[in-house]
Every structure is written in structure tokens, then in C-alpha cells.
């Protein structure tokens, strides 16, 4: 093989690989663009459904995904979804996390305009199966004990598990988990109380 032919062949291979890579990249970009909207819509539906789980049926008539505030808490921020009915803010839903036995326990907390818990749900945790996972509504009704509770109901010193002199049940062999949830729910009600005027749109 002549030297010139060898050089041409060696130069051709990178060009061919480059062309293939360009076509593949274009195809991936097209696929990503085509699926971006359906994925975003599905994610929005999942979030909307999750938020609605901590609200009584018919409590809200607005799209609370489009009615949000970002408020400070403990050096970070919390996204608050305002819940309206006939234009009036009737409450809020937000996510908070508290340290459990294995990792953070993430909660969705719904609160009405008077500061009472409308509902609480666990959205993520890594607690021990068969023990700590009783915080899931699918495993136990324990989480429903917060429905209708407020900062004064029970009084502050009773916002604890019964083992610590409080009003809330603990689980045999897994006291750390319910302690974390009780503490986080109380923190959520305190957060709402601290920002109530802003959330309800009544701040001057």
C-alpha cells in the first residue's frame, strides 16, 4: 500500500467516527426534547397528587403547584404550596425532613389557616422494615394521629411520644422513628405559625 493511500485511510476513520457520534448526539437530543414535556407533566401530576393526600377532599380549588412561596428555615429554604378556595388562602402544604434512625424522614404537612394539621404523610424514609416503617399510612394508621392537631393541642410539653411523657404512641423496638416524626410535625406547625401572615398574604 502506498504511503498516500495509508494516510487517506487513517484520516477517513476519525471522520467516520465523528459523523456517527454527531448523528447519535442529534438523535439523543431529539428524543430528550420529545419526551421532556410528557415527563414534566407526569412529574407535576405525581407532585400534585402527593400534595392532595394531606388535604381533605374538596378543600382546595386552585392549582397549588402554581401558587408557591419560598421561605427561609434553619439556614435553608422551604417551598410552600398555598391552598386556596374561592381565591382565599385556606392553608398550605410543605415538605420538611427530620433525622430518623437510619436517615432523614421526609414529611408532607398540610396546615389550615388556623394552624391545625390537615394531614401528614411520609414521602421518603429508610427506617427498619417491620418496625420503623409503621410511619407509612399504607402500613399503619399511626400517622393519622396528627390530623387536627395544633401547637396548643396538645400543650408543648406533650408534643412527644408516650415514653417521653407525651401524647403520641411509639413503636415497640423503634422509638427513635416516631420521636423524629413528632418533632418534625411540631416543627412544621411552628414554621407555619412563624410565617402565617406571609403565607396567607396578610403581611404588610
Amino acid at each position: 500500500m502506498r504511503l498516500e493511500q495509508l494516510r487517506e485511510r487513517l484520516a477517513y476513520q476519525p471522520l467516520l467516527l465523528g459523523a456517527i457520534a454527531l448523528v447519535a448526539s442529534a438523535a439523543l437530543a431529539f428524543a430528550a426534547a420529545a419526551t421532556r414535556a410528557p415527563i414534566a407533566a407526569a412529574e407535576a401530576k405525581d407532585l400534585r397528587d402527593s400534595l392532595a393526600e394531606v388535604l381533605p377532599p374538596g378543600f382546595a380549588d386552585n392549582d397549588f403547584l402554581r401558587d408557591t412561596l419560598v421561605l427561609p428555615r434553619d439556614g435553608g429554604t422551604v417551598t410552600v404550596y398555598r391552598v386556596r378556595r374561592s381565591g382565599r388562602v385556606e392553608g398550605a402544604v410543605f415538605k420538611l425532613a427530620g433525622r430518623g434512625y437510619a436517615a432523614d424522614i421526609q414529611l408532607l404537612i398540610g396546615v389550615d389557616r388556623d394552624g391545625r394539621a390537615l394531614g401528614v404523610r411520609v414521602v421518603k424514609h429508610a427506617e427498619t422494615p417491620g418496625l420503623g416503617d409503621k410511619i407509612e399510612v399504607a402500613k399503619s394508621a399511626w400517622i393519622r394521629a396528627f390530623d387536627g392537631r395544633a401547637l396548643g393541642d396538645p400543650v408543648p410539653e406533650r408534643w412527644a411520644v408516650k415514653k417521653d411523657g407525651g401524647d403520641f404512641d411509639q413503636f415497640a423496638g423503634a422509638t427513635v422513628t416516631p420521636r423524629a416524626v413528632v418533632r418534625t410535625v411540631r416543627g412544621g406547625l411552628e414554621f407555619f405559625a412563624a410565617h402565617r401572615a406571609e403565607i396567607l398574604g396578610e403581611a404588610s
Side-chain angles (χ1 to χ4, degrees), residues 103-188:
D104 280 352
I105 300 170
Q106 294 185 12
L107 302 178
L108 269 180
I109 303 172
V111 185
D112 71 13
R113 65 181 292 113
D114 297 320
R116 288 196 172 273
L118 293 166
V120 179
R121 292 292 183 275
V122 176
V123 293
K124 185 178 181 181
H125 76 89
E127 302 303 281
T128 306
L131 293 173
D133 63 354
K134 292 176 183 176
I135 56 177
E136 297 177 30
V137 72
K139 302 287 181 67
S140 163
W142 180 85
I143 199 77
R144 297 185 186 276
F146 297 104
D147 295 0
R149 299 287 191 153
L151 289 178
D153 176 22
V155 294
E157 59 270 21
R158 303 287 297 180
W159 269 92
V161 296
K162 290 179 179 178
K163 185 176 182 179
D164 299 331
D167 280 11
F168 299 95
D169 290 333
Q170 64 270 340
F171 311 142
T175 306
V176 172
T177 302
R179 272 185 185 142
V181 175
V182 172
R183 184 171 58 248
T184 304
V185 174
R186 177 179 171 175

Side-chain angles (χ1 to χ4, degrees), residues 3 6 25 34 46 50 59 68 70 85 107 115 128 132 138-139 147 153 157 161 177 203:
L3 182 59
L6 180 61
S25 297
D46 287 345
S50 295
F59 190 83
T68 63
V70 178
R85 188 167 59 246
L107 302 178
T128 306
K139 302 287 181 67
D147 295 0
D153 176 22
E157 59 270 21
V161 296
T177 302

